Amino acid sequence: MMKHIWIVLALVLSPVSVGAQSVVEVDTTGVDVELVDTLVEDTVADYSLYVTQYGLETCDWVEFCENPRYAIVTKNGKKGIYDLIQERHVTEIEYRNLGYSRTEEYDDSTTMTLFYAKQGVRIGILGVESSNNSVFALWADDSDELYSLEECTTIDSAMTMTAVDLLGRCIVEQQLDNAQIVVMDAKTGHLKTWVALDADMEKKYAGELLVHSCSASLTIPFRNGRPPKNKAMDATSPFVMAAGYNSLALDGKILIPTLKADSVEIDETIPSYLIATLKETLKVDRKASPEMGWLVEGINCWGNTATDDIYAEDDVELVTPIGKQIQFVGVFPIEVPCYTICVVANKKSVDITPAAFADVVNPLMKWLLGKTS
């Protein structure tokens, strides 16, 4: 079995031809090799016996491959591999994208059919061995879905540690599933910190910096209209949302950090008359919004909060919420803007409001202002 893992590894390290589509190159940095059904003995005749089976007629779409044995099936927006000869699903229908690559025959008479795949925030190669439909997978981070801070030279390590401490305690106390903090320098548009944490605080590992991770109930001043509500994969990340609000401190200029050294790019410029309106609209009024006033106590800022429902990925009609997402964004102090922060968190099953950020937002804002005094 290990032999075939290295076969797939060798194949994925080179460009993968995907039918008539463009060549896909997989970045194997930090790649983790995973065996599907590793608990099943080699003597099992068909690994697909351990995969959930649906009647082919229940699938929404069937795409036939150059290898006539296999097809790619689609159900509720997700894809899987189907064996047309044995009339069984080879994989769960759980991939957001699948494509046939090619079929390879090896000296030991083994035949491996290769597919490129996208699942969650990963991109990789699936190999199906024809003798028993065993599936091997090789994964890497999908650069279209994840940001990387490795080349960003503007990150403040002390600020990052403070954000980790505040956000970590908030996750534990509020029983959040995950949360993120973004801090930008209001004067330059530079990214100062971006922390993403999951609920498993014992391991203390950072969650992925998702390109798409916010729903869109917050007013985004630099976009005409909103992304589709509650469609997380089409919405705006905390990173982009912070950059949009930061335009209030830059006379309407929206500076997007490239995350390469200290460079930024001008996304667009908001007209001055609109900036004036937004500043008036987004100025925190403690009497009109006591909750917001509590979050930014003692600090004059432009900002907003929001709460959105979270839905399961396969709930395409947005019928049954499974949790809540809370959001805060603020530019402060109004007198001489220094920082923009955006905080986002998700919690399943239980209602929650932005008040849960009270022990994160205000202490972080005051700590940041202390650095500039």
Side-chain angles (χ1 to χ4, degrees):
M1 186 176 288
M2 288 299 297
K3 168 184 62 179
H4 298 301
I5 295 175
W6 291 111
I7 289 172
V8 176
L9 178 60
L11 289 168
V12 80
L13 286 173
S14 61
V16 179
S17 173
V18 185
Q21 301 185 33
S22 59
V23 171
V24 175
E25 293 188 14
V26 178
D27 178 8
T28 57
T29 303
V31 167
D32 115 55
V33 179
E34 82 177 23
L35 269 69
V36 178
D37 296 323
T38 53
L39 299 180
V40 182
E41 297 292 334
D42 286 339
T43 54
V44 174
D46 189 348
Y47 279 69
S48 64
L49 295 174
Y50 296 85
V51 174
T52 306
Q53 299 297 323
Y54 306 88
L56 193 60
E57 70 281 359
T58 67
C59 295
D60 302 322
W61 186 259
V62 179
E63 177 185 345
F64 298 99
C65 304
E66 289 182 26
N67 182 338
R69 175 171 175 176
Y70 296 107
I72 297 171
V73 295
T74 303
K75 184 181 177 70
N76 295 330
K78 294 298 181 69
K79 297 178 182 291
I81 301 172
Y82 187 85
D83 187 327
L84 293 166
I85 294 177
Q86 296 193 13
E87 299 184 345
R88 299 190 64 82
H89 291 276
V90 177
T91 68
E92 300 290 346
I93 303 177
E94 61 184 3
Y95 303 96
R96 58 187 176 87
N97 200 3
L98 271 177
Y100 173 78
S101 176
R102 62 188 181 274
T103 299
E104 298 280 352
E105 294 186 3
Y106 304 103
D107 294 340
D108 61 355
S109 300
T110 298
T111 300
M112 185 80 75
T113 301
L114 300 176
F115 299 81
Y116 77 88
K118 289 189 174 185
Q119 183 183 42
V121 295
R122 305 183 301 172
I123 185 171
I125 294 291
L126 300 182
V128 181
E129 188 178 344
S130 59
S131 64
N132 58 8
N133 276 340
S134 56
V135 180
F136 307 96
L138 182 67
W139 297 105
D141 289 344
D142 185 349
S143 60
D144 289 338
E145 300 299 325
L146 295 175
Y147 287 112
S148 171
L149 303 182
E150 292 179 359
E151 299 180 40
C152 183
T153 59
T154 61
I155 299 298
D156 185 312
S157 58
M159 192 181 298
T160 297
M161 293 306 298
T162 299
V164 167
D165 179 58
L166 292 171
L167 195 62
R169 281 188 280 159
C170 181
I171 286 175
V172 172
E173 292 170 3
Q174 301 294 332
Q175 298 181 323
L176 304 173
D177 292 306
N178 52 71
Q180 298 191 44
I181 291 179
V182 172
V183 181
M184 286 187 174
D185 186 316
K187 301 184 184 73
T188 63
H190 288 151
L191 180 66
K192 303 304 293 181
T193 192
W194 189 350
V195 172
L197 295 177
D198 293 316
D200 191 350
M201 298 308 294
E202 289 185 4
K203 294 183 179 178
K204 294 188 180 300
Y205 57 86
E208 283 93 352
L209 301 175
L210 301 178
V211 173
H212 311 281
S213 60
C214 275
S215 51
S217 64
L218 283 174
T219 302
I220 303 175
F222 60 101
R223 297 299 181 199
N224 295 321
R226 299 174 178 177
K229 184 175 175 62
N230 297 314
K231 289 293 189 179
M233 296 308 292
D234 296 321
T236 304
S237 75
F239 167 64
V240 176
M241 189 176 290
Y245 273 81
N246 201 51
S247 66
L248 298 175
L250 294 171
D251 298 321
K253 287 189 297 185
I254 300 168
L255 301 182
I256 306 292
T258 65
L259 306 185
K260 306 289 185 182
D262 62 352
S263 65
V264 295
E265 295 177 347
I266 297 179
D267 185 69
E268 59 183 288
T269 301
I270 302 173
S272 57
Y273 75 88
L274 183 53
I275 283 293
T277 301
L278 288 168
K279 285 182 176 180
E280 188 64 30
T281 302
L282 295 172
K283 183 177 180 180
V284 173
D285 185 333
R286 290 172 173 78
K287 292 183 179 179
S289 178
E291 181 181 82
M292 187 70 170
W294 182 30
L295 290 175
V296 301
E297 180 183 0
I299 300 170
N300 293 323
C301 80
W302 298 296
N304 204 352
T305 62
T307 303
D308 264 335
D309 290 327
I310 300 173
Y311 296 87
E313 288 189 26
D314 58 357
D315 187 358
V316 294
E317 300 299 326
L318 307 182
V319 175
T320 308
I322 61 172
K324 293 286 185 182
Q325 181 179 91
I326 53 176
Q327 308 149 2
F328 167 86
V329 65
V331 185
F332 64 97
I334 286 178
E335 297 78 11
V336 182
C338 296
Y339 295 103
T340 296
I341 69 173
C342 183
V343 188
V344 178
N346 295 306
K347 184 173 183 177
K348 291 182 180 178
S349 303
V350 180
D351 285 350
I352 190 170
T353 71
F357 286 152
D359 294 330
V360 176
V361 170
N362 200 255
L364 180 60
M365 293 174 87
K366 291 178 178 178
W367 185 88
L368 290 170
L369 291 178
K371 284 176 63 70
T372 60
S373 60

